Amino acid sequence: PEMKNILVPIDLSSVTNSTVEVAAHFAQGFGAKIWLVHVAAPDPDFVGFGTGPRYVRDQRADELKKEHAQIQSIAEGLRSKGISAEALLVQGPTSATIIDEAGRLEADLIVMGSHGHGAIYKAFVGSVSQQVLGDSTVPVLIIPAKGKE
């Protein structure tokens, strides 16, 4: 099967670099495009703040700007290696948003990092990579965290 689009959800944590590196190898091998997708948490108003105090909204806007700049620079780094790459910042519930983007971008492969959180975390929160793995219709490559975070 042809591989044109590789979706790489990144959360700007310590697993981001190794995840992007692996995706880059695949992209080079297949001549595919990398779509870096950073899913930002929904705005504070989703969490019962109403419109929220002004400073909370300003702080949030600053965070989003910083995150956007970070993912743009990762995309830039890939492009400097001759890899076609786009960076997108989307807001929403993480796993569902990743699955939606995979469909929208016609992804042939999803490459994502796993955090190796402990059992208690998984029992209460469930891991995003597990949820994506369960819901995806395309192959998902999970890059393990090198050691616990």
Side-chain angles (χ1 to χ4, degrees):
E2 238 186 324
M3 189 166 303
K4 291 183 187 163
N5 294 300
I6 299 174
L7 178 71
V8 186
I10 53 175
D11 58 4
L12 304 172
S13 70
S14 59
V15 294
T16 293
N17 284 349
S18 50
T19 304
V20 171
E21 268 171 43
V22 171
H25 283 300
F26 275 86
Q28 281 170 321
F30 289 103
K33 177 170 188 166
I34 288 183
W35 295 90
L36 297 168
V37 175
H38 175 58
V39 182
D43 282 326
D45 353 3
F46 280 58
V47 200
F49 279 116
T51 48
R54 179 83 231 170
Y55 75 88
V56 171
R57 281 180 292 159
D58 290 347
Q59 196 181 348
R60 186 77 186 109
D62 284 348
E63 273 169 39
L64 291 174
K65 268 190 213 123
K66 276 195 198 100
E67 291 173 0
H68 194 252
Q70 281 177 279
I71 64 171
Q72 289 299 344
S73 82
I74 296 171
E76 201 52 56
L78 288 167
R79 288 194 290 268
S80 73
K81 293 177 189 160
I83 297 166
S84 172
E86 290 287 332
L88 306 171
L89 183 114
V90 271
Q91 284 180 285
T94 313
S95 336
T97 304
I98 292 169
I99 295 294
D100 288 350
E101 289 298 304
R104 194 175 72 80
L105 300 168
E106 299 181 352
D108 302 297
L109 175 70
I110 298 173
V111 178
M112 62 192 300
S114 165
H115 287 278
H117 283 296
I120 291 174
Y121 176 89
K122 281 206 176 107
F124 288 107
V125 184
S127 113
V128 170
S129 46
Q130 275 178 325
Q131 284 175 305
V132 169
L133 198 52
D135 294 337
S136 179
T137 55
V138 298
V140 179
L141 180 63
I142 307 283
I143 310 305
K146 293 186 174 95
K148 300 274 181 269
E149 285 192 51

